[in-house]
Amino acid sequence: QAQLVESGGGLVQPGDSLRLSCVASGLSLRYYAVAWYRQVPGKEREGVSCISNSDGSTQYSDSVKGRFNISRDNAKNTVYLQMNNLKPEDTAVYYCAADILECYSGRKVDYEGQGTQVTVSS
């Protein structure tokens, strides 16, 4: 059964860094555009970053541009989200999602993980 599993979340202080991992099993992530989303209770889910399956291009929301970096390791079937200079407003549950078409295609994603909690607090 194909699935995505996120890890790497935790409780950190403002200014710290975390690296989230999205590990796939039962599917080859290299063929999918992979996005990271985050959600805070009571707010809409926000697309944070995405890496293309066609040319490896990346996208970032304005709120994380310059602080976060998305990358993929096809040998490990994993997509990472390196988060630097974390701020309290980055606190959320972070999900990874795979779409066979493209980043933010607008259709229902093909696979989505269960999420990992990131809490930034002093």
Side-chain angles (χ1 to χ4, degrees), residues 32-35 37 47 49-53 59 97-111:
Y32 292 81
V34 179
Y37 294 85
S49 183
C50 189
I51 186 163
S52 166
N53 53 342
Q59 302 178 38
D99 189 328
I100 195 67
L101 288 185
E102 60 185 3
C103 285
Y104 308 129
S105 68
R107 60 188 279 278
K108 186 178 184 296
V109 297
D110 297 284
Y111 302 97

Side-chain angles (χ1 to χ4, degrees), residues 81-93:
L81 185 68
Q82 177 68 41
M83 307 187 296
N84 300 321
N85 190 22
L86 283 160
K87 303 176 180 181
E89 51 264 42
D90 295 319
T91 296
V93 178

Side-chain angles (χ1 to χ4, degrees), residues 13-116:
Q13 294 186 338
D16 285 351
S17 297
L18 280 175
R19 188 177 77 161
L20 305 184
S21 299
C22 173
V23 180
S25 58
L27 70 150
S28 292
L29 271 186
R30 68 175 68 216
Y31 299 118
Y32 292 81
V34 179
W36 284 95
Y37 294 85
R38 64 188 182 187
Q39 187 155 29
V40 176
K43 292 189 175 182
E44 282 193 13
R45 181 173 289 200
E46 176 189 9
V48 173
S49 183
C50 189
I51 186 163
S52 166
N53 53 342
S54 58
D55 60 2
S57 59
T58 57
Q59 302 178 38
Y60 300 92
S61 65
D62 288 343
S63 59
V64 307
K65 199 171 295 182
R67 300 187 297 121
F68 290 12
N69 184 68
I70 191 170
S71 62
R72 65 165 85 224
D73 185 335
N74 291 333
K76 295 183 177 180
N77 214 15
T78 300
V79 169
Y80 301 100
L81 185 68
Q82 177 68 41
M83 307 187 296
N84 300 321
N85 190 22
L86 283 160
K87 303 176 180 181
E89 51 264 42
D90 295 319
T91 296
V93 178
Y94 285 71
Y95 303 86
C96 64
D99 189 328
I100 195 67
L101 288 185
E102 60 185 3
C103 285
Y104 308 129
S105 68
R107 60 188 279 278
K108 186 178 184 296
V109 297
D110 297 284
Y111 302 97
E112 184 174 299
Q114 294 299 306
T116 184

